[in-house]
Amino acid sequence: MRATASAVGSGVLLALASSCGGPAPAERPHVLLVSADALRADHLSLNGYARQTSPRIDAFACEALDYAQMVTLLPKTGPSMATHLTGLAPCEHRVTANKLRIPDEVPTVAEALLAAGYRTAAFVSNPVLSADKGFARGFEVYREIGEERALPELNRRFLKWAEKHDWSQPTFVWLHYIDPHGPYTPPQECAELFTGDELFAAETRRLRTSYDPLPGWPINYCRDAIPSYQLIDGEDRVAQYVARYDAEIRHMDAHFGAVLDYLRGAGLYRRTAVILTADHGEALGERDYWFEHGWYADEAALRIPMIVKPAGDSRPARSASQVSNLDTAPTLLAAAGLAPFPGARGASLLADPGARGALLIENTSTYPERYFGLRLPGRKYLREAQTGREELYDLA
């Protein structure tokens, strides 16, 4: 008799739950995954960016393993987070655009941890990550924050929950910050942080604020213009939008720091494995594509941070190994003492996995052009499916 896909998924979770030969549940570390939306890796001061966008992230990286060559396989929120949480490539979990859902038969990290005795909770602030798209599976608590000032509200709800939570039980928490995703509307205390510096003065370009939409495509699919959802008060200066984007990073950085402060104050920090990453980056003019992501499989949107602090003692380091969001699920499972999903192609990042093979990358399936390619350490090959146009990049 042939097993159904859902039965296979259930079997995987049961096997994972019973395979942990590590410490008893009460002794297992807590696991915290923090993902920031549209956080472009090269706009962190940690990575040499001229603006001080990420002081708390920079300090956190000094206690952790920082992967400088981390990429997402597909630069859009739904597909990328599906890969983070399942360990499968988009072609395997079949979420190749935001409108698609994770199939019920695909096991998630939260389901595996729940089956292994973990308490689970998530606080997310992007409507793409809705429960009806499968992202809530395995979470006992799943809070979707849709308020305009989502960062403070997400932290407030998490901290209110955390203060009542029984931390004597091993716990997995996922926090997803909507910022620095557009529209770039940092709070007043951050809004003008970078509007008087040399980068601001050097950027003199202006963009169109109105344009004719591509026939048959959403209005925000444009080049050489500011997407309509990003437009703020008719502003056309590139410098203003980039400064606002960087201010959004600084705003997110402060809220991430507040979560770390809570963990330290509650005596939980050393007992918690903390993973900071993103779903994708952001195009800031590459291919004349502005303040958006998903159309191309370019480095601006593929490159994301990945900073991993294991529970207990850690040896901080910076790795140049190419890694991807295929590695997030094995890392989360390993942090809890669980084996990776059977057939997983990723690896735990609690220790540097070293050199590995090429990654299959692609853009989102709902754009006018469709790109597929391979990314290797130092090289990237892309092919546009309709025209057959080929591109080869020296990433150095």
Side-chain angles (χ1 to χ4, degrees), residues 5-275:
S6 58
V8 171
S10 299
V12 167
L13 296 178
L14 289 172
L16 282 169
S18 61
S19 68
C20 178
E27 299 171 349
R28 292 181 196 163
H30 307 302
V31 181
L32 171 63
L33 170 65
V34 180
S35 49
D37 214 298
L39 180 56
R40 181 170 162 151
D42 64 355
H43 274 241
L44 295 176
S45 43
L46 168 71
N47 292 324
Y49 189 50
R51 288 172 169 157
Q52 290 300 306
T53 54
S54 53
R56 297 303 304 268
I57 294 174
D58 299 359
F60 171 67
C62 292
E63 306 173 331
L65 184 53
D66 173 24
Y67 286 93
Q69 288 295 320
M70 166 72 175
V71 298
T72 178
L73 302 184
L74 194 162
K76 208 69 172 177
T77 299
S80 178
M81 293 313 305
T83 295
H84 276 300
L85 296 174
T86 68
L88 297 176
C91 61
E92 296 170 315
H93 58 59
R94 303 193 294 282
V95 182
T96 59
N98 281 342
K99 64 182 181 180
L100 303 176
R101 68 186 300 275
I102 303 173
D104 292 339
E105 65 269 21
V106 174
T108 69
V109 166
E111 290 177 304
L113 292 175
L114 182 65
Y118 269 70
R119 304 274 63 84
T120 57
F123 301 82
V124 303
S125 56
N126 186 326
V128 167
L129 304 172
S130 58
D132 64 355
K133 289 189 172 66
F135 290 97
R137 292 207 333 260
F139 288 105
E140 299 167 297
V141 174
Y142 198 79
R143 299 285 184 265
E144 298 176 45
I145 292 91
E147 285 77 4
E148 183 178 352
R149 290 179 62 78
L151 269 174
E153 182 63 17
L154 187 149
N155 265 23
R156 186 190 72 79
R157 293 199 195 185
F158 162 68
L159 293 172
K160 182 178 179 180
W161 171 86
E163 288 166 359
K164 297 178 180 179
H165 179 65
D166 180 5
W167 290 99
S168 67
Q169 304 175 81
T171 301
F172 169 51
V173 177
W174 172 32
L175 306 179
H176 183 84
Y177 292 129
I178 186 65
D179 292 326
H181 193 289
Y184 312 139
T185 54
Q188 189 59 42
E189 63 268 23
C190 296
E192 298 182 3
L193 276 174
F194 306 120
T195 56
D197 63 13
E198 292 182 4
L199 288 182
F200 189 90
E203 178 56 85
T204 59
R205 281 173 292 183
R206 294 176 180 265
L207 296 174
R208 292 181 296 150
T209 58
S210 62
Y211 52 89
D212 295 326
L214 292 173
W217 296 96
I219 191 172
N220 290 311
Y221 288 13
C222 66
R223 295 177 60 194
D224 188 30
I226 299 171
S228 59
Y229 88 99
Q230 288 278 24
L231 189 62
I232 299 173
D233 298 330
E235 178 63 67
D236 67 350
R237 290 173 294 171
V238 167
Q240 188 66 250
Y241 287 94
V242 176
R244 283 175 171 267
Y245 173 75
D246 291 340
E248 290 270 20
I249 297 176
R250 182 67 170 264
H251 184 44
M252 182 281 301
D253 177 80
H255 284 76
F256 173 66
V259 170
L260 299 184
D261 291 343
Y262 166 77
L263 294 177
R264 289 192 175 94
L268 299 169
Y269 186 73
R270 195 173 182 279
R271 295 171 51 201
T272 303
V274 181
I275 294 92

Side-chain angles (χ1 to χ4, degrees), residues 342-361:
R345 288 185 291 108
S348 170
L349 300 181
L350 295 176
D352 190 339
R356 289 184 294 170
L359 295 170
L360 176 64
I361 55 174

